[in-house]
Amino acid sequence: MKQCLTGILGIFSFFISIITDAQAPPSWSSADMYLAIRKLNVLGSVLYIAAHPDDENTRLISYFAKEKLFRTGYLSLTRGDGGQNLIGDEQGVELGLIRTQELLAARRIDGGEQFFTRAFDFGYSKNPQETFTKWDREKILSDVVWVIRKFQPDVIVTRFPTTGEGGHGHHTASAILANEAFAAAADPSRFPEQLAFVKPWQAKRICWNTFNFGSTNTTAADQFKFDVGGFNPLLGKSYGEIAAISRSNHKSQGFGSAASRGEALEYFKTTGGNPPADDLMNGVELGWSRVEGAGAITSIVDQLAASFDLLHPENSVKDLVRLYRSIKMLPESYWRTQKLKETVQLIEQCSGLFLDASTNEQYAVKTDSVRVSISINNRLGVNARLRKISVGNYDTSMDQNLAKNKNLQLSRNLYVSEDLPNTQPYWLREKMEPGYFIVNDQQKIGQADVDPAMESVILITIEGEDLVLRKPVRYKFTDPVKGEIYWPLVIVPAITFKDFDAIYFKGENKGAVEVSLQANKKTMVASPLVMSQMFDTRKDTIPRLFGGFTLAKGQYFSAQIEDQELLAGKIYQLNTVPDYNEPGAILRTVNHDHIPSINYFKQALLSVKKIDVKIFNKKIGYIVGAGDKVPEALEHMGYDVTLLTEKELAKNGLDKYDAIITGVRTYNTNDWMNKYYDKLMKYVQEGGNLIVQYNTSNQIGPVRARIGPYDFNITRNRITDENAVVRILKPEHPVFNFPNKINGDDFNGWIQERSIYHAQDTSGKYEKLISMADPGEKEDDGALIVTKYGKGWFTYTGLVFFRELPAGIPGAYRLLANIIALNKKKGF
């Protein structure tokens, strides 16, 4: 492919937390410490529940967490896997991994905690009934119940109603499940297997946080409401300003947000429990009186807050240690556990301790060693002694005074056992179902992120009290532009395979299939690479492909299988040992500047699909939009693809291209497309072929710009049922006849959905070629419209080629080949 002092202190406090999120161990300012001390006297909690990343009300979460100082959580039922992506071509689980990290970044700003269920975002759903055909309703309900029982919220707040005003079927389903869980969490007969770890919990009430979105206003003057737009002088920000920074972390969704200031009312409608009279927490005891024997704690915390010295937080450490001992003496309870955790964090932060565990390598390779460095600095000189450090298979006891502001360094080479698991998101360890992930460990359900590959456990005695402090071992490096960066450490096997994705057999093309592996350490590949056919009890294998050689660290080795016909239509698992029951591992990496590097593993499965497709025309210009994998698919088909940027459109002629295709959301993401409307229309008029893939109608970017030669609108209409019957309206049209004969069979096997953001012909000059309908709805003919303009052709399509082509759907390839051939500009 060718590539042509309070306010000032508060502001410092707030922004230092942003700067250090991905670049250094978390560090608090004195303002953060002071707020955390005050929070020790607040024993109240709120759980916000919705369907996706970016559904949450960040202003309300900021207000609860930083003004009211409640323990505040957000339960997103999904990780947003089925959404759209404005920053790259990742889809499915990879997009879910990105959006998970974006949510965690948002929570670091607004002060909330993040939770998920096992539900998979399978794409847009028009109603909850459709949603529950994919989600296992009882299973996802059990997850919501589990999070409620574990988090023990006093009040539950839903973003959406149960009655459908939220639009998306996932939205409504999230409210239905939240309201069912409100009662089920208190019922010991519901999901009794959870009671080995948690107890039944009855929240005081559940409320719907009503909204005014666009043309849908569900707020009312008689609803309970309060102002969340206040200004926090310790943070130097209003809650609307904090919320905007938090929400702007949803970069993959294009949700950069403007800050708001001034009064901001939030409205609530009670859907379970007693309605609040004058406070959302009416009837909830918010102090230490809810914990048996804790009457004296309130005054201790009050004294700590009154005596806190912004310039010398270390002066509070002795009293914090006394508080820790007092709380530890209380009987076991939810709030005892939570406040002990908060107090330990405060002791560490007020002490000014710097604790860091890092490596200079991103990957810890099994059967190899990794060098781990521990750094400790007692920056404010509190009374502290280092007692013990353990990490991996290293464990040492010591008794060393930690002198003021002196660096203590300890480095060890640690063996990485073959028995350690690969670092894998827990929800991706098992083969998933279409609508949910398989997670067999009850304790993992709800957990937001991946477990660290390695963890250092450091025992330090502070003011006579032994405290255990845990720090993940992370990969630390210095970027010449960004400075010091921390990424997660990843445990990998000695050999990983290159991602095969799907490899396509195209008509008469007899090209070889390439199989590649990489050595992550110097490795002797003594055993042959073995391919065994899955789902075949005979375990037919293709014997030795290669073996008996040494690979240096980082070196790739490739082999080719010439006879694709032998493999077509079958799935093989690959490994470097003759263990036919265990495929090897493909390491996938996702990198974007705003989140830490993401790594996960796929099974090394080779699938060769024979797709009978003929192509006409050769040269394709592809204008990249939000990002998709259509150009790679076009190259697989045999086209010569050139990626076009603004520079190429400005300087070069277009007549050399048989067709020009715009990537998904090109007009949403590239404001310069407006400037080249006339040039593109001239290209079409003189015999070219312009194919525009979907753009959204939500006013993100210049979607209102002219796109086609005649007027049409982009609507929000879509067909979410991937199996919806496709009615061909003009069977004689060349789109269905040249160079491939298209019929109903070509729409079999499509994934996730049929089409999105249909066109509405307002000029009467477009041909509508297909018609479809979701169950219970009238047919829509806006998914594929074409028109002749001068000597050439223009097409707008909402058909999701960007999903179907990477998935290897034959009919999608054949149909796109026909659209490309419309102008029959050049044969070859």
Side-chain angles (χ1 to χ4, degrees), residues 32 41 54 100 170 175 219 240 251 275 299 347 351 417 534 569 599 700 714 741-742 813:
D32 297 318
N41 264 346
D54 73 37
T100 293
H170 295 182
T219 65
K251 299 185 188 303
S299 60
I347 293 170
S351 296
S417 170
M534 296 184 68
N599 292 265
I700 297 176
I714 298 174
K741 184 68 176 177
I742 302 295
Y813 277 87

Side-chain angles (χ1 to χ4, degrees), residues 526-795:
S527 302
L529 183 142
V530 174
M531 297 175 59
S532 58
Q533 186 179 342
M534 296 184 68
F535 316 117
D536 186 343
T537 56
R538 297 171 300 165
K539 293 297 179 187
D540 291 341
T541 66
I542 294 176
R544 169 186 292 267
L545 291 179
F546 47 84
F549 53 84
T550 299
L551 294 177
K553 180 178 179 179
Q555 184 178 357
Y556 276 100
F557 191 90
S558 300
Q560 291 188 332
I561 308 167
E562 298 294 340
D563 194 350
Q564 291 186 346
E565 189 69 36
L566 174 66
L567 303 180
K570 301 172 184 176
I571 300 175
Y572 287 86
Q573 57 188 30
L574 283 69
N575 212 330
T576 55
V577 294
D579 179 0
Y580 304 149
N581 296 317
E582 188 66 30
I586 294 169
L587 176 62
R588 290 280 299 169
T589 300
V590 178
N591 286 327
H592 288 283
D593 283 347
H594 67 298
I595 55 176
S597 180
I598 297 170
N599 292 265
Y600 76 102
F601 293 92
K602 294 167 56 177
Q603 290 185 324
L605 302 178
L606 173 64
S607 173
V608 180
K609 299 185 179 181
K610 181 178 180 180
I611 298 178
D612 182 12
V613 58
K614 300 180 181 68
I615 65 173
F616 192 91
N617 289 340
K618 183 69 173 179
K619 294 184 179 297
I620 305 291
Y622 199 90
I623 305 174
V624 177
D628 57 68
K629 296 179 180 178
V630 173
E632 293 90 333
L634 292 169
E635 288 191 327
H636 282 312
M637 295 168 74
Y639 294 106
D640 181 5
V641 180
T642 300
L643 300 183
L644 302 179
T645 65
E646 181 180 12
K647 180 180 178 181
E648 282 73 43
L649 284 178
K651 294 185 176 181
N652 300 331
L654 304 179
D655 61 327
K656 62 183 174 181
Y657 299 114
D658 301 320
I660 294 175
I661 304 176
T662 67
V664 299
R665 298 180 77 165
T666 293
Y667 290 85
N668 293 131
T669 57
N670 300 320
D671 56 7
W672 43 262
M673 285 296 292
N674 281 337
K675 295 190 296 184
Y676 302 104
Y677 172 79
D678 291 335
K679 187 171 186 177
L680 287 167
M681 291 303 104
K682 181 180 179 183
Y683 160 77
V684 174
Q685 195 169 32
E686 294 178 351
N689 184 8
L690 178 60
I691 302 163
V692 176
Q693 296 182 83
Y694 90 92
N695 289 267
T696 68
S697 59
N698 59 4
Q699 306 305 308
I700 297 176
V703 75
R704 289 164 291 183
R706 292 175 297 170
I707 296 176
Y710 309 113
D711 289 342
F712 68 93
N713 292 332
I714 298 174
T715 73
R716 298 186 66 83
N717 297 347
R718 62 179 72 205
I719 304 298
T720 62
D721 181 359
E722 65 270 33
N723 298 311
V725 173
V726 177
R727 190 160 63 92
I728 296 176
L729 300 178
K730 296 188 175 184
E732 74 287 352
H733 198 280
V735 161
F736 305 116
N737 291 281
F738 181 82
N740 304 283
K741 184 68 176 177
I742 302 295
N743 57 41
D745 291 342
D746 287 290
F747 295 97
N748 292 338
W750 286 45
I751 64 167
Q752 186 162 325
E753 58 204 347
R754 288 286 192 205
S755 55
I756 53 181
Y757 295 101
H758 291 186
Q760 180 186 41
D761 179 11
T762 58
S763 64
K765 295 186 177 182
Y766 290 92
E767 295 181 274
K768 276 73 75 175
L769 300 184
I770 61 175
S771 181
M772 304 175 284
D774 275 325
E777 298 185 356
K778 66 179 183 179
E779 288 196 351
D780 189 290
D781 60 8
L784 178 60
I785 65 170
V786 301
T787 188
K788 196 85 166 56
Y789 183 64
K791 298 177 182 179
W793 289 83
F794 173 85
T795 299

Side-chain angles (χ1 to χ4, degrees), residues 43 94 284 313 331 371 652 752:
L43 280 66
E94 288 192 351
V284 178
R371 190 162 186 82
N652 300 331
Q752 186 162 325

Side-chain angles (χ1 to χ4, degrees), residues 40 304 316-324 343 346-347 350:
L40 290 174
L304 267 166
S316 295
V317 171
K318 285 184 180 180
D319 288 335
L320 282 168
V321 170
R322 294 190 191 105
L323 174 65
Y324 175 82
T343 305
L346 264 167
I347 293 170
C350 289

Side-chain angles (χ1 to χ4, degrees), residues 801-815:
F801 289 113
F802 72 99
R803 297 195 195 280
E804 310 309 321
L805 299 182
I809 306 303
Y813 277 87
R814 290 158 49 80
L815 180 58

Side-chain angles (χ1 to χ4, degrees), residues 369-604:
S369 62
V370 61
R371 190 162 186 82
V372 176
S373 298
I374 307 292
S375 300
I376 302 175
N377 189 307
N378 182 11
R379 291 177 290 188
L380 294 178
V382 296
N383 177 16
R385 300 190 72 83
L386 178 61
R387 300 293 188 183
K388 185 177 181 179
I389 296 176
S390 63
V391 56
N393 52 18
Y394 174 73
D395 194 332
T396 183
S397 296
M398 56 189 71
D399 184 12
Q400 181 168 344
N401 182 59
L402 295 176
K404 182 177 181 179
N405 207 27
K406 299 291 184 181
N407 290 320
L408 175 65
Q409 305 281 352
L410 178 68
S411 296
R412 289 291 186 274
N413 288 324
L414 303 180
Y415 178 72
V416 184
S417 170
E418 178 69 34
D419 297 330
L420 290 174
N422 296 337
T423 304
Q424 175 80 331
Y426 71 88
W427 59 97
L428 299 181
R429 287 196 175 277
E430 304 292 337
K431 180 177 172 59
M432 65 177 292
E433 295 293 333
Y436 57 90
F437 299 104
I438 300 296
V439 180
N440 296 318
D441 184 348
Q442 179 68 56
Q443 297 277 48
K444 291 292 181 192
I445 293 171
Q447 181 177 312
D449 205 359
V450 184
D451 289 319
M454 291 185 181
E455 187 176 58
S456 62
V457 182
I458 304 171
L459 177 63
I460 298 180
T461 302
I462 300 178
E463 294 296 344
E465 185 69 30
D466 288 344
L467 299 176
V468 175
L469 305 174
R470 300 177 181 272
K471 303 295 173 185
V473 178
R474 297 187 291 173
Y475 165 51
K476 180 169 68 173
F477 64 101
T478 302
D479 182 276
V481 176
K482 302 173 187 175
E484 189 173 73
I485 302 290
Y486 284 81
W487 282 353
L489 177 67
V490 181
I491 294 176
V492 300
I495 295 287
T496 50
F497 287 88
K498 183 179 178 181
D499 195 351
F500 313 112
D501 279 332
I503 302 174
Y504 306 105
F505 176 82
K506 302 173 288 294
E508 299 300 318
N509 185 350
K510 299 293 186 183
V513 175
E514 185 173 85
V515 177
S516 299
L517 58 79
Q518 179 183 22
N520 298 311
K521 56 172 279 191
K522 185 176 180 180
T523 303
M524 175 64 184
V525 185
S527 302
L529 183 142
V530 174
M531 297 175 59
S532 58
Q533 186 179 342
M534 296 184 68
F535 316 117
D536 186 343
T537 56
R538 297 171 300 165
K539 293 297 179 187
D540 291 341
T541 66
I542 294 176
R544 169 186 292 267
L545 291 179
F546 47 84
F549 53 84
T550 299
L551 294 177
K553 180 178 179 179
Q555 184 178 357
Y556 276 100
F557 191 90
S558 300
Q560 291 188 332
I561 308 167
E562 298 294 340
D563 194 350
Q564 291 186 346
E565 189 69 36
L566 174 66
L567 303 180
K570 301 172 184 176
I571 300 175
Y572 287 86
Q573 57 188 30
L574 283 69
N575 212 330
T576 55
V577 294
D579 179 0
Y580 304 149
N581 296 317
E582 188 66 30
I586 294 169
L587 176 62
R588 290 280 299 169
T589 300
V590 178
N591 286 327
H592 288 283
D593 283 347
H594 67 298
I595 55 176
S597 180
I598 297 170
N599 292 265
Y600 76 102
F601 293 92
K602 294 167 56 177
Q603 290 185 324

